[in-house]
Amino acid sequence: METKIKELESRVKGEIILPQHKNYDEARSIYNAMIDKRPSIIVKCKDREDVVAAVNFARENGLEVSIKSGGHNGAGLALVNDGLVIDLSEMKAIEINADNKTAKIQPGRTLAEVDKATHEYGLALPSGIIGTTGVAGLTLGGGMGYLSRKGGLTIDNLLEAEVVLATGETVTASASDNPDLFWALRGGGGNFGVVVSFTFNLIPIKNIYGGPMFWPVEKAEDAMKFYDTMLKNASDDLYGFFAFLIVPPGDPFPEHLHMKRVCGVVWCYTGPMEKAEEVFRPIREFGPPILDFVGEMPMPALNGLFDGLYPSGMQWYWRAHYINELTDGCIQENIKHGSNTPSVRSTMHLYPIDGKVHEVSREDTAWANRGARWAQVIVGVSPEPTDADKITKWCKDYYEGMKPHAAGGGAYVNFMMEEGQERIKAGYKGNYERLTKVKKQYDPDNFFHINQNIVPAR
Ligand SMILES: Cc1cc2nc3c(=O)[nH]c(=O)nc-3n(C[C@H](O)[C@H](O)[C@H](O)COP(=O)(O)OP(=O)(O)OC[C@H]3O[C@@H](n4cnc5c(N)ncnc54)[C@H](O)[C@@H]3O)c2cc1C
């Protein structure tokens, strides 16, 4: 193997990192510190040719392969024990075409970097809520965040992808080139190949009116009902995700609220700024809120608001559902667990996925949950490794309790741990079978299987 690795080294421009190297531990560390995997080779690709060389090397030598972009996947699917990691974090080219309102982005970019680049042109890509997340993994799973109601999922804004297949061949996927692959990439995750370039549509957004608003947790029942009705009747310009949390003991939160259990909504209004106060008047009248940090700010400021609270290297355990309705039972179950979060950063978010997301039909992309109103994520988070069992148990109990109130048996693949084939199938609903056929066409040997795996049709 040593000679073969030397040969690979002579073929790629990027660094090859092996277990005996000084920077091995750094290179194998990802966002979730609960994950401790030991790959045998990490290839830090510089360009598409490096990716082709890494894919060919792994295939020819029978090595399992994982794909790492932002390294944020909760289940740690960016890494593989004893296999080869195709690390794309150094592929960071980004080109904005302001006239066409498009962006061509390599997979090593994070959401904060994309935000900063597009914001200069008064444009934005609908994506996620934490800036350090990788644009690549987020997109391939679907991509939801503050602009979902206004601009759809991230995949609804994907125009083209360049993909290195298991054979080492590079193909383009778009509405006109390899349309089946393009369909599957939009929600099917890293199952079909390594995406080395994404071209997105951007939407005109510069400043928004938003931020967090909290109420005492004792008001959660009324707050959830108010939030539900408010959003149901609002235009797609108004977005807000509901949360349960403990107020962190530090800036910018006022001292009298530190460590208090609260519920809240993080709002994002993208309509005319002169109308914002009017839109928020009834919201401010409810409660009233015990914290109101809602105001006008640049889009990237909202997108990065919680980055400091969630640095890399903490313990994370995830569970997720889709929710159609906030029935009384659903609200009570949420309050039961949400008002007992086990640590300061542990939380539950309800991300709205209606509005523009519902304008695309279930058959149009692999992402199948176009009828649900929320993607729910339950996350146990702590900087302390000794809290791992506690946060995991809380998360699993919450998830189990929510089962009778959830839509179907599946969840958003980007919010799942390794939960088995039935959960993956359930998440893709009626689209799973078509996905297995596309998988058979583009990756018949299931070379790319370190992911929420779609098994090729027989
Ligand atoms: C703090 C935090 C906040 C988050 N917030 C949101 C949110 O607001 N909205 C949302 O939708 N999701 C959110 N997520 C979930 C996020 O979408 C997933 O974790 C996603 O996997 C992150 O992408 P990544 O590139 O960082 O992942 P990585 O861990 O690098 O990769 C994860 C998987 O994606 C696939 N993949 C990655 N890059 C490629 C590629 N170039 N080609 C082919 N396959 C690839 C592979 O299967 C890989 O195993 C959040 C996650 C975290 C940790």
Side-chain angles (χ1 to χ4, degrees):
M1 191 51 112
E2 217 170 289
T3 332
K4 286 180 176 170
I5 291 174
K6 284 243 155 5
E7 197 196 314
L8 177 65
E9 257 166 351
S10 71
R11 270 195 278 155
V12 298
K13 295 164 213 73
E15 191 182 3
I16 291 180
I17 301 168
L18 305 173
Q20 60 270 31
H21 291 162
K22 270 209 305 275
N23 54 351
Y24 174 73
D25 280 336
E26 188 192 331
R28 74 180 181 93
S29 71
I30 53 171
Y31 186 79
N32 183 359
M34 212 184 262
I35 308 292
D36 181 24
K37 290 190 189 170
R38 301 188 68 86
S40 56
I41 307 177
I42 300 170
V43 184
K44 291 249 186 193
C45 298
K46 291 280 187 203
D47 57 18
R48 175 165 60 92
E49 286 71 36
D50 280 6
V51 174
V52 172
V55 165
N56 287 341
F57 180 85
R59 195 189 57 249
E60 285 157 13
N61 292 287
L63 290 169
E64 286 188 288
V65 155
S66 68
I67 307 168
K68 178 178 180 233
S69 288
H72 263 232
N73 184 269
L77 295 170
L79 300 179
V80 53
N81 275 322
D82 305 320
L84 183 146
V85 178
I86 298 180
D87 186 328
L88 306 165
S89 58
E90 292 181 355
M91 288 177 61
K92 282 185 173 286
I94 183 163
E95 272 169 52
I96 312 288
N97 184 327
D99 295 332
N100 294 343
K101 299 192 179 58
T102 59
K104 193 170 180 184
I105 303 172
Q106 284 192 333
R109 285 287 177 181
T110 62
L111 301 186
E113 292 166 345
V114 172
D115 269 353
K116 187 168 178 282
T118 58
H119 186 68
E120 281 181 31
Y121 299 91
L123 299 168
L125 173 68
S127 62
I129 65 157
I130 297 279
T132 48
T133 312
V135 71
L138 175 129
T139 299
L140 295 168
M144 55 188 70
Y146 294 115
L147 300 177
S148 299
R149 295 188 93 221
K150 170 98 166 185
L153 299 173
T154 312
I155 48 168
D156 299 335
N157 295 281
L158 182 65
L159 300 172
E160 189 176 289
E162 206 184 336
V163 191
V164 176
L165 303 177
T167 53
E169 181 196 357
T170 305
V171 297
T172 299
S174 68
S176 53
D177 290 325
N178 298 296
D180 263 1
L181 178 61
F182 186 53
W183 174 86
L185 286 177
R186 287 175 293 162
N191 269 285
F192 305 95
V194 185
V195 178
V196 290
S197 170
F198 298 85
T199 304
F200 294 105
N201 172 59
L202 304 173
I203 60 173
I205 299 276
K206 185 91 180 163
N207 281 8
I208 57 89
Y209 190 93
M213 195 178 264
F214 296 162
W215 299 277
V217 79
E218 295 74 23
K219 287 233 165 167
E221 182 178 347
D222 288 347
M224 281 186 112
K225 286 183 176 166
F226 171 78
Y227 159 78
D228 182 16
T229 313
M230 186 75 211
L231 219 54
K232 208 179 265 168
N233 297 322
S235 80
D236 295 350
D237 287 338
L238 185 68
Y239 174 98
F241 75 78
F242 193 93
F244 284 99
L245 67 151
I246 296 172
V247 180
D251 281 347
F253 301 104
E255 213 176 314
H256 72 278
L257 291 183
H258 289 177
M259 298 306 287
K260 278 229 167 355
R261 290 186 180 277
V262 298
C263 62
V265 175
V266 183
W267 299 102
C268 176
Y269 170 74
T270 49
M273 284 302 119
E274 61 278 10
K275 289 224 166 124
E277 298 284 337
E278 192 186 318
V279 169
F280 276 84
R281 191 168 308 123
I283 300 177
R284 291 196 159 108
E285 277 165 12
F286 170 77
I290 51 172
L291 177 128
D292 179 354
F293 277 177
V294 181
E296 187 173 346
M297 63 179 92
M299 185 71 227
L302 180 64
N303 266 334
L305 211 57
F306 305 107
D307 288 7
L309 192 60
Y310 290 109
S312 181
M314 298 207 187
Q315 308 285 307
W316 283 74
Y317 194 85
W318 297 66
R319 282 293 154 119
H321 286 296
Y322 286 111
I323 306 284
N324 282 346
E325 261 191 279
L326 294 183
T327 59
D328 287 346
C330 175
I331 289 176
Q332 288 313 322
E333 195 64 30
N334 272 298
I335 293 172
K336 178 175 156 190
H337 302 279
S339 52
N340 284 299
T341 48
S343 59
V344 173
R345 292 170 183 83
S346 296
T347 186
M348 185 289 295
H349 292 172
L350 282 177
Y351 294 118
I353 42 170
D354 52 357
K356 193 90 173 168
V357 181
H358 283 192
E359 288 177 21
V360 178
S361 88
R362 178 175 69 68
E363 294 79 21
D364 286 349
T365 65
W367 200 86
N369 288 276
R370 299 288 177 173
R373 279 188 69 206
W374 289 278
Q376 175 177 47
V377 65
I378 305 158
V379 283
V381 190
S382 171
E384 304 301 334
T386 47
D387 281 347
D389 289 346
K390 183 173 78 172
I391 60 174
T392 303
K393 183 177 180 327
W394 170 80
C395 189
K396 285 185 176 171
D397 288 349
Y398 198 151
Y399 162 77
E400 288 296 329
M402 283 303 298
K403 273 185 178 170
H405 311 287
Y412 175 36
V413 284
N414 276 351
F415 291 162
M416 278 168 55
M417 301 301 273
E418 293 191 84
E419 298 171 35
Q421 206 58 37
E422 286 312 308
R423 283 275 284 160
I424 298 170
K425 270 190 200 170
Y428 287 115
K429 294 199 153 100
N431 286 343
Y432 187 77
E433 205 185 318
R434 182 170 169 196
L435 277 165
T436 66
K437 290 181 183 153
V438 183
K439 177 80 172 171
K440 185 181 177 188
Q441 190 184 344
Y442 289 94
D443 184 20
D445 299 328
N446 208 1
F447 178 72
F448 296 108
H449 63 266
I450 306 293
N451 44 39
Q452 299 294 354
N453 195 230
I454 291 156
V455 181
R458 286 210 219 135

